[in-house]
Amino acid sequence: EEFRVPKHTPAIALKCSELGEVAEDVQDPSPGLKPRGRLAETVSKYFASWSVRDLDECIQYFAPDVVITDTFFEEPFVGIEGARDLLKESKNLFPDSFRFVLDSLTDGDTRVAARWHVESNGGRIPNANGMSFWTASEDGLIASEYTVVEPVLKTGNGVPLFYKTMGSLLKQ
């Protein structure tokens, strides 16, 4: 199959082309997103339920042994109880006005990637973006999630200098 990329897809999604085809109609995820593939549909439903903070509905999309790694937190969340803990903690962190909106979602039955952002009261929040990657269990539920959140504080050129310095120290 041919891999099609919409104009608004970030370069990082291009690196994930092996995950599946990017849906063409991804600008408005609530009414307009039409995911193709079993896992893509599951993730879309999960995002919709999370946006209204329906934790019980969210939980039904996770496999019993799910592993969720979110770089916002130090440790992964494991199993249904771990997923529930993450959702509860996140619900307490973010006001009810925050909505997590899918910007793009790859199609797929077993692996899916998405780019998303956060809005509040209908307006996009600056620097509130992320990318998430999911794999499916045999029964089509979310088996794993790996989420990278955009840093709120930008370090600019300090990061390469940090790694260069660390590399020099580690060589000694």
Side-chain angles (χ1 to χ4, degrees):
E1 289 184 19
E2 181 183 332
F3 179 71
R4 295 172 293 169
V5 179
K7 292 181 288 199
H8 56 272
T9 302
I12 192 165
L14 297 176
K15 304 290 186 205
C16 304
S17 61
E18 70 277 2
L19 292 171
E21 187 176 299
V22 175
E24 292 178 338
D25 48 356
V26 294
Q27 281 297 80
D28 184 4
S30 301
L33 185 66
K34 294 177 179 55
R36 293 171 286 198
R38 190 173 180 187
L39 182 58
E41 290 174 12
T42 299
V43 167
S44 183
K45 290 175 186 174
Y46 164 63
F47 259 74
S49 62
W50 171 240
S51 282
V52 295
R53 305 300 190 274
D54 187 339
L55 303 189
D56 291 330
E57 185 175 336
C58 288
I59 291 298
Q60 75 176 347
Y61 300 116
F62 292 111
D65 56 349
V66 65
V67 176
I68 303 171
T69 303
D70 185 326
T71 59
F72 192 73
F73 299 96
E74 287 186 39
E75 298 292 325
F77 296 83
V78 179
I80 293 296
E81 287 310 309
R84 191 179 312 278
D85 290 345
L86 169 64
L87 293 171
K88 284 180 183 176
E89 190 164 342
S90 297
K91 184 177 180 179
N92 292 332
L93 284 173
F94 305 115
D96 288 341
S97 66
F98 278 28
R99 294 184 51 83
F100 291 76
V101 180
L102 289 170
D103 294 315
S104 62
L105 177 66
T106 59
D107 293 332
D109 290 321
T110 60
R111 295 180 292 172
V112 172
R115 182 174 53 97
W116 51 267
H117 71 273
V118 182
E119 295 179 356
S120 182
N121 298 318
R124 191 173 184 140
I125 300 173
N127 300 330
N129 304 289
M131 295 252 346
S132 297
F133 304 88
W134 296 271
T135 60
S137 63
E138 287 184 18
D139 53 359
L141 298 173
I142 297 170
S144 69
E145 176 181 333
Y146 188 89
T147 294
V148 180
V149 179
E150 178 180 3
V152 175
L153 300 175
K154 306 298 182 189
T155 56
N157 293 332
V159 171
L161 178 61
F162 170 79
Y163 285 122
K164 183 177 180 180
T165 303
M166 288 303 296
S168 297
L169 291 173
L170 292 173
K171 283 182 184 177
Q172 297 176 3

